């Protein structure tokens, strides 16, 4: 079944104006031609799209479903047009990256800047997602590259070690723990913890570690963004576990202190993943070569957590 764009745009116009007459005028069609297009489409789909009323028409549920797809199609066409037009301006490729918050806060920006400078003809799009979301985006073709922390949740991805990373602890400068330089996770369980939203790697990892010790994680506040976490810690509302690099930066800006987290699981890796295929697209291959020059394959952990960021 073929659906032409003129008819789909007509349906959208009628749905918005609640009138076949006004919809036809907006799409520069004769009323009779517009009515026939709608009738033919309804016959082809086997559903009624509009309920005819005295003062116009009312879209049916089937029509509302169709309109959602039409709007999605318009967005895709707009993106297609924008991307193709970039080739006229010298752009030779588009790299879509989905990355977790930790990698964006610690190491990815500098590497993206270096890659962009070396390849100015490649346009880069970056979206902040959880690690699970980033992996799914690549596996489903919505992104070209994912940057995330283990575990690997989808075997459709080929992965490499990108950068080592470590979790640290942030406490108020007047906090009892601030007299120490290193702290264990066991000691943190006596205090309220401020973390990212549910599904974030550190949050889920801490929850599992607490359960393994028969303890409860006192997740008092959960927010989006490391800056918000630092400000809440400074206000004395709790302590936090977050990536070491932003923790060090916050310790210079806010009235907080960074402590070393002594547990082995505080050491982790950022992983770069792409869709598994025999030959990578040139743009993706260049990015992998730039960020993972040694091409060290990432190994999935033996006891993966359920969700990650």
């Amino acid at each position: 079944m073929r659906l032409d764009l003129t008819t789909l745009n007509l349906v959208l116009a009628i749905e918005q104006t609640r009138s076949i007459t006004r919809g036809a005028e907006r799409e520069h069609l004769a009323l009779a031609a517009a009515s026939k297009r709608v009738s033919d489409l309804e016959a082809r789909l086997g559903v009624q799209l509009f309920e005819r009323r005295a003062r116009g028409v009312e879209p049916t549920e089937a029509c509302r479903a169709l309109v959602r797809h039409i709007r999605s199609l318009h967005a895709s066409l707009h993106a297609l047009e924008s991307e193709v037009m970039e080739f006229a301006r010298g752009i030779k490729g588009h790299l879509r990256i989905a990355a977790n918050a930790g990698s964006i806060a610690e190491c990815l920006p500098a590497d993206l800047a270096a890659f962009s400078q070396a390849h100015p003809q490649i346009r880069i799009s970056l979206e902040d997602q959880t690690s699970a979301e980033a992996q799914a985006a690549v596996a489903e073709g919505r992104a070209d590259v994912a940057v995330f922390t283990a575990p690997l949740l989808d075997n459709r991805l080929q992965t490499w070690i990108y950068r080592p990373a470590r979790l640290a602890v942030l406490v108020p400068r007047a906090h009892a723990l601030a007299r120490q330089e290193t702290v264990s996770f066991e000691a943190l369980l006596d205090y309220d913890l401020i973390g990212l939203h549910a599904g974030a790697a550190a949050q889920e990892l801490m929850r599992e570690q607490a359960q393994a010790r028969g303890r409860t994680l006192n997740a008092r506040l959960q927010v989006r963004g490391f800056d918000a976490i630092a400000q809440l810690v400074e206000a004395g509302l709790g302590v936090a576990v977050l990536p070491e690099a932003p923790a060090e930066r916050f310790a210079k800006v806010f009235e907080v202190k960074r402590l070393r987290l002594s547990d082995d699981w505080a050491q982790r890796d950022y992983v770069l993943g792409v869709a598994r295929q025999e030959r990578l697209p040139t743009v993706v291959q260049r990015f992998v070569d730039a960020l993972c020059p040694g091409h060290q394959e990432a190994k999935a952990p033996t006891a993966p957590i359920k969700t990650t960021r």
Side-chain angles (χ1 to χ4, degrees):
M1 179 178 65
R2 298 180 60 184
L3 301 176
D4 65 276
L5 195 56
T6 299
T7 301
L8 295 180
N9 286 338
L10 174 63
V11 170
L12 184 60
I14 296 172
E15 188 270 341
Q16 291 174 338
T17 62
R18 295 298 197 271
S19 167
I20 295 178
T21 300
R22 289 196 296 273
E25 290 174 352
R26 201 173 85 173
E27 295 304 311
H28 308 290
L29 293 171
L31 179 59
S35 296
K36 187 175 188 309
R37 281 180 176 270
V38 172
S39 298
D40 288 349
L41 181 60
E42 289 178 324
R44 188 180 305 174
L45 295 175
V47 296
Q48 183 178 357
L49 296 176
F50 298 100
E51 294 179 358
R52 279 68 172 176
R53 298 187 177 176
R55 294 188 176 183
V57 296
E58 185 69 23
T60 64
E61 287 301 318
C63 180
R64 293 189 179 94
L66 178 60
V67 164
R68 286 196 296 270
H69 287 287
I70 295 172
R71 287 178 175 145
S72 177
L73 176 61
H74 279 182
S76 297
L77 289 173
H78 177 73
L80 182 151
E81 182 181 17
S82 298
E83 187 168 337
V84 171
M85 288 178 63
E86 287 179 342
F87 284 86
R89 302 197 301 269
I91 299 298
K92 303 301 182 184
H94 181 197
L95 184 67
R96 302 166 300 166
I97 303 170
N100 69 343
S103 66
I104 295 174
E106 291 206 274
C107 51
L108 194 55
D111 287 335
L112 288 182
F115 182 81
S116 183
Q117 186 174 6
H119 304 280
Q121 75 281 15
I122 297 175
R123 184 167 73 89
I124 298 174
S125 298
L126 174 64
E127 187 170 354
D128 179 357
Q129 298 186 347
T130 67
S131 289
E133 290 169 346
Q135 293 179 60
V138 169
E140 296 167 7
R142 291 179 282 107
D144 303 304
V145 179
V147 183
F148 57 94
T149 53
L152 175 63
L153 302 174
D154 197 314
N155 60 14
R156 291 176 291 177
L157 267 61
Q158 182 179 3
T159 59
W160 300 273
I161 298 295
Y162 166 42
R163 287 286 186 89
R166 188 173 185 87
L167 293 171
V169 177
L170 214 59
V171 302
R173 286 188 183 171
H175 197 275
L177 293 176
R179 295 189 295 268
Q180 306 173 198
E181 298 299 325
T182 302
V183 65
S184 68
F185 181 65
E186 184 76 31
L188 295 181
L189 291 174
D190 294 330
Y191 302 94
D192 290 327
L193 283 159
I194 301 169
L196 293 172
H197 58 88
Q203 199 70 20
E204 297 303 318
L205 185 55
M206 287 191 296
R207 194 181 308 280
E208 290 196 354
Q209 291 293 330
Q211 291 176 351
R213 292 167 171 79
R215 302 283 301 275
T216 299
L217 190 68
N218 298 319
R220 181 177 183 180
L221 296 169
Q222 292 178 272
V223 297
R224 287 187 176 271
F226 296 128
D227 285 12
I229 290 176
Q231 292 179 66
L232 291 170
V233 171
E234 181 184 49
L237 295 173
V239 301
V241 174
L242 68 166
E244 193 168 46
E248 289 179 352
R249 292 197 297 269
F250 294 143
K252 299 174 183 177
V253 177
F254 300 105
E255 291 296 316
V256 296
K257 182 177 179 181
R258 180 194 64 83
L259 307 179
R260 185 179 184 275
L261 184 59
S262 60
D263 299 72
D264 291 340
W265 53 265
Q267 185 66 47
R268 58 182 188 166
D269 291 315
Y270 290 119
V271 176
L272 189 149
V274 302
R276 192 178 295 278
Q277 51 197 300
E278 287 188 13
R279 185 181 179 85
L280 294 179
T282 302
V283 172
V284 176
Q285 185 65 64
R286 288 181 182 178
F287 190 71
V288 172
D289 292 341
L291 269 66
C292 307
H295 288 193
Q296 180 184 356
E297 186 176 353
K299 303 296 184 181
T302 55
I305 56 176
K306 295 179 180 178
T307 50
T308 182
R309 184 178 179 92

